[in-house]
Amino acid sequence: MSLNKARTPWFPTYAYAAALYSVLPGVALSTLRALDQAIAAQMGTAANPVDWSRPDEWIQQRLTGDVRDLALHIWQGTGGLVNPRYTAGSMMLARTHALVQDAGGVYALTTAGEAFVAKDGDLIQVLDESEGLLQALVALSGFETVTRKDLLPEWVEALGGDSRSENTLSGLLYDRLVNLVDRDLVERVGGKKYRLTASGRVYIERVQPREVSQRRRLDEAAREYRAQQRAQLRELLGKMHPYRFEHLIRELLAEMGYEDTTVTQQSGDKGIDVVATAKFGITTVKEVVQVKRVAGTTGRPVIDQLRGVLPLHGAIRGTVITLGTFAAGAKDVAVFVGAAPITLIDGETLIDLLIEHEVGVVPRTVPVYDVDEAFFSEEAPGVDDAG
């Protein structure tokens, strides 16, 4: 269990932390504590929160004396990058890795702190490894794209295991992904997924130890194979007979938990291809689905048409599924105040769902074993030195 990994909560981006450290030298430790206390005393409640998003306003309105001067020093000295309300994560990072020190009651940078502000590559690598960022990159290398939830167990395994709660670890991983995105080593895809950038792959290749590199090559091979299978799936979907494609969607909806999934007749369905019901607690909702087995862009008229025929089927919501994408106008009206909601599933999302629910794909497991060196290093029970 690697309790020495990923220790810092509220983990900052390195640019944010470095900006704060650059203005700390000469600042009295007591004044920074007083600033933290003054802010904490004005936090408000969950029902009546305090807005800290505009430092130019709240510093003058809520602070006085030395703490106000320090807040202005941080805000203005960092060019408006560091909000004095949010320094805890950066200061925890500094304490954990000895980046700042007490020099007679005022802050001073240590040699490591000066190297950090100067973006020293060797020091950054050490921080990345000890704080779980390198392990996050290694875990990401095994995926084409992945959600944080699905990445979490791979990250924990790369850390060497961790007994902290899933919620705690998920929060720690999120902060580290934000850091890596800020450094262009990782990018977000569609708002919910992450993938390694070319820069991230180069970084891993340069810094990871040999045994991790071997593991990553296995992960990389698996990722490439998944990408090939995904491309093949996309190609086969494009070649399917339209009616068979509708039955595929019916099977997918059934696997997703929908009930009474039915493919409509070829005529007289007013553009509806599949009808199903979904249960939400004790409520049953009828939903209609229109399928577009085309690779182009689906526009707003399709959404308007589907919404218009919902009453004919006694449905209160609908879904449009396409192999292509949706125009901006279609996305704008899909969820409209006062109108029946229309879910939009584009080609990439459809492939994700087919893979997730194992429709048209067969999962394969290849066993890989790691030698437990600790097992062989332990003394045999009942054997003394004289044995």
Side-chain angles (χ1 to χ4, degrees), residues 233-240 245 248 293 323 351 354:
L233 179 57
R234 186 184 298 109
E235 180 181 356
L236 291 173
L237 290 172
K239 294 178 179 179
M240 288 184 73
F245 187 69
L248 174 72
R293 194 188 59 81
L323 289 182
I351 292 175
L354 290 171

Side-chain angles (χ1 to χ4, degrees), residues 218-230:
L218 287 174
D219 292 339
E220 181 74 11
R223 185 192 69 81
E224 291 179 0
Y225 184 78
R226 287 195 296 267
Q228 292 169 1
Q229 294 301 300
R230 188 181 181 92

Side-chain angles (χ1 to χ4, degrees), residues 299-310:
R300 173 175 175 170
V302 172
I303 312 305
D304 293 336
Q305 178 189 22
L306 178 59
R307 184 173 278 135
V309 301
L310 292 182

